[in-house]
Amino acid sequence: MVKTQKMEPNQTDRLLVIACGMIAREVLAVKQQLKLDHLELTCLPAEFHFYPDRIAPAMDKAIEKAKAEGYRHIFVGYADCGTGGMLDRVIEKHGVERMAGPHCFAFYQGMDAYAKVADDDMMSFYMTDFLCRQFEAFFIKPLGLDRHPELIKDYFGNYEKLIYLAQTDDPELDKVAEHAARLLGLAYERRSTGYGDLTAELARAAAGA
């Protein structure tokens, strides 16, 4: 488990967010935006995005550790994220809450907005600011596409469109997303989502701490 902020000796009145490493930058941005000085952040590895079966066991240990350190207020910065309900069993066990929704691609868009497009997006490959920054490290190199571009059809042949869910307005990230769409042979769409429901969810969790 990778900590992004140093723990203070007394944590009883602080809110600990245990989040996916893929949304660490966004959680900290919301913290600064809303001036949530009592919010602390620790993250599980972003690579669990590819191994959802690891999320629930790791979260179980992370919550137990946080409670042992004195945290009374804990919020899980994950949606279900492919755990098939396993994460919900962990948070029920510990009496904590998580982000609503099936995955970050949903809560970034807002659950109401996502419900309207979910069916149409079924054949779409989502990217976020994080995935744009880590496109080479998360997709190109691990999948061997830099050495074997012919594998692109094997991995992405069932997709029709790449949808970039943009948390920020960064021309460099736009270029990465556009390049990715061309490389993968997909149509391209950009949606400016900001932080979506993440802002309201963190505000609600912080208010209860």
Side-chain angles (χ1 to χ4, degrees):
M1 185 170 61
V2 179
K3 293 179 180 178
T4 60
Q5 290 185 307
K6 185 178 179 181
M7 296 290 188
E8 298 296 333
N10 184 357
Q11 307 294 0
T12 57
D13 296 323
R14 303 181 75 78
L15 170 67
L16 177 66
V17 177
I18 306 176
C20 171
M22 284 179 56
I23 68 168
R25 183 189 293 251
E26 288 71 27
V27 170
L28 293 176
V30 171
K31 172 183 176 175
Q32 181 177 15
Q33 183 183 86
L34 300 182
K35 303 186 186 309
L36 303 178
D37 295 334
H38 64 305
L39 184 154
E40 299 284 352
L41 173 66
T42 188
C43 290
L44 301 185
E47 67 182 26
F48 284 5
H49 175 76
F50 294 123
Y51 308 101
D53 59 305
R54 300 182 186 179
I55 295 173
M59 183 60 67
D60 190 25
K61 293 179 181 179
I63 294 174
E64 288 180 353
K65 183 175 185 293
K67 288 185 172 181
E69 291 175 342
Y71 281 104
R72 294 185 302 160
H73 308 288
I74 298 169
F75 183 74
V76 172
Y78 274 89
D80 177 74
C81 296
T83 68
M86 292 175 60
L87 182 58
D88 283 336
R89 287 193 282 276
V90 170
I91 66 174
E92 287 168 8
K93 168 186 171 182
H94 291 287
V96 301
E97 295 184 341
R98 68 164 173 86
M99 291 290 304
H103 40 62
C104 65
F105 308 125
F107 69 65
Y108 273 146
Q109 296 183 82
M111 290 305 301
D112 291 340
Y114 175 72
K116 297 176 181 178
V117 300
D119 289 342
D120 289 340
D121 286 358
M122 194 68 68
M123 306 302 291
S124 296
F125 177 69
Y126 285 125
M127 289 186 69
T128 63
D129 283 13
F130 174 90
L131 291 175
C132 284
R133 293 188 183 96
Q134 301 296 328
F135 185 64
E136 291 284 333
F138 252 58
F139 296 108
I140 298 300
K141 293 181 179 178
L143 297 178
L145 302 183
D146 52 340
R147 303 182 304 278
H148 301 285
E150 68 275 9
L151 294 176
I152 289 175
K153 287 187 177 181
D154 293 334
Y155 287 117
F156 298 93
N158 290 327
Y159 293 107
E160 297 174 352
K161 181 191 295 186
L162 185 152
I163 300 176
Y164 171 31
L165 307 175
Q167 284 71 69
T168 58
D169 290 319
D170 186 331
E172 293 304 313
L173 298 184
D174 290 342
K175 291 178 183 177
V176 173
E178 292 166 2
H179 167 71
R182 289 193 298 271
L183 178 68
L184 303 179
L186 303 176
Y188 177 70
E189 180 181 345
R190 183 187 190 278
R191 296 177 189 168
S192 182
T193 66
Y195 303 124
D197 288 346
L198 182 63
T199 301
E201 291 277 85
L202 291 179
R204 178 178 60 81

